[in-house]
Amino acid sequence: MSKLQGKVAIVTGASKGIGAAIAKQLASDGASVVVNYSSDKTGAEKTVAEISKTGGKAIAVGASVADAAGIDTLFAEAKKAFGAVDILVNNAGVYKFAPIEAITAEDIDWMFGINVKGLLLATKAAVAQFPATGGNIINVGSVASEGSSPNASVYSGTKGALDVITRSLAKELGPKKIRVNAVNPGPIVTEGFISSGVQGSDFEKAMIAGTPLGRVGQPDDVATVVSFLVSDDAKWVTGALLQTAGGLR
Ligand SMILES: NC(=O)c1ccc[n+]([C@@H]2O[C@H](COP(=O)([O-])OP(=O)(O)OC[C@H]3O[C@@H](n4cnc5c(N)ncnc54)[C@H](OP(=O)(O)O)[C@@H]3O)[C@@H](O)[C@H]2O)c1
């Protein structure tokens, strides 16, 4: 039997990039998957089609994690399609790298609204829906929470918050048999990575130079780790911040 057979997973921000790879990996390991997106319906439908083509089960649900109404829609649609949710992957996240002088109040609200508030709201909804037998939450963080790179104060701040939230919730939710872990990637080639201008930049070169395994990551480098952590193979792991970065610190 596949290791996630019978499980239902919501993956936020799964229309592309790391989220799409996680959705496909969880489906190939047997889970029914809710592919959440914010604006890119075509991308989400492509993720669903790729899952269906290989015999998996998935639906696409458009909803912003940054507001409570979006979260309500996401969890209501998930329940309607597949019943109770067992796994939440808080992957939706946005990033912009700029010196503090160029950062606006809107940038701060945007990054914290999706990366932190969205994660907390989705987690609250998942905890209310998880069965009495427990559940699994993965927060997709970043090595940026430790790396102290220049021009990353806001983004690093959101991911630092994610690390602390993960540890706090692991303690709070352990008694309910809910495991909470973070998977913290280094640079991963995704649509967002490319459009933010990191690919080909001196910043990317410096990160590769600091990566013992000597390359940037691919989305499936993260997805397989997420699938392991939500499976019973990791049943004794909670509150972990697992670097998936080729050794980059
Ligand atoms: N790529 C990297 O190098 C890297 C490294 C470390 C950590 N990460 C983290 O990994 C996660 C995914 O990054 P990525 O590079 O794969 O990003 P990406 O290619 O830009 O994709 C972002 C995803 O998030 C979704 N999203 C954005 N705002 C949303 C909202 N309000 N509600 C729901 N979904 C929303 C997007 O949906 P739409 O397409 O519909 O807008 C898209 O599916 C993020 O948390 C990021 O911080 C990335």
Side-chain angles (χ1 to χ4, degrees), residues 154-170:
V154 183
Y155 179 63
S156 298
T158 68
K159 296 303 186 180
L162 179 148
D163 286 355
V164 181
I165 289 166
T166 301
R167 287 191 163 133
S168 171
L169 285 172

Side-chain angles (χ1 to χ4, degrees), residues 95-97 143-144 147-152 155-156 187 193 196-211 216 248:
Y95 40 93
K96 173 179 168 181
F97 301 103
V143 292
S148 315
S149 298
N151 303 326
Y155 179 63
S156 298
F193 178 82
S196 68
V198 180
Q199 196 176 46
S201 68
D202 288 345
F203 183 36
E204 185 194 38
K205 288 191 190 86
M207 287 192 288
I208 295 173
T211 303
V216 288
L248 174 70

Side-chain angles (χ1 to χ4, degrees), residues 12-19 36-41 63-66 90-95 114-115 140-143 155 159 185-193:
T12 67
S15 56
K16 52 171 71 83
I18 295 170
N36 163 247
Y37 66 96
S38 165
S39 58
D40 184 7
K41 188 172 187 218
S64 173
V65 298
N90 283 310
N91 165 79
V94 288
Y95 40 93
I114 296 169
N115 300 6
V140 179
S142 170
V143 292
Y155 179 63
K159 296 303 186 180
I188 306 288
V189 182
T190 63
E191 289 81 344
F193 178 82

Side-chain angles (χ1 to χ4, degrees), residues 71-203:
I71 297 291
D72 287 348
T73 302
L74 177 58
F75 281 80
E77 292 296 317
K79 195 167 187 183
K80 199 160 76 186
F82 298 127
V85 172
D86 305 285
I87 297 166
L88 169 67
V89 182
N90 283 310
N91 165 79
V94 288
Y95 40 93
K96 173 179 168 181
F97 301 103
I100 191 67
E101 296 90 332
I103 292 289
T104 64
E106 289 74 22
D107 292 332
I108 298 169
D109 286 343
W110 176 60
M111 281 186 260
F112 273 90
I114 296 169
N115 300 6
V116 180
K117 184 176 122 190
L119 176 153
L120 288 166
L121 290 176
T123 300
K124 181 176 150 89
V127 169
Q129 241 197 51
F130 281 152
T133 46
N136 255 287
I137 297 170
I138 298 292
N139 296 325
V140 179
S142 170
V143 292
S145 66
E146 286 185 14
S148 315
S149 298
N151 303 326
S153 56
V154 183
Y155 179 63
S156 298
T158 68
K159 296 303 186 180
L162 179 148
D163 286 355
V164 181
I165 289 166
T166 301
R167 287 191 163 133
S168 171
L169 285 172
K171 287 188 177 167
E172 181 178 329
L173 298 175
K176 294 183 194 252
K177 302 190 193 71
I178 298 170
R179 295 192 291 111
V180 188
N181 291 292
V183 169
N184 290 356
I188 306 288
V189 182
T190 63
E191 289 81 344
F193 178 82
I194 293 165
S195 66
S196 68
V198 180
Q199 196 176 46
S201 68
D202 288 345
F203 183 36

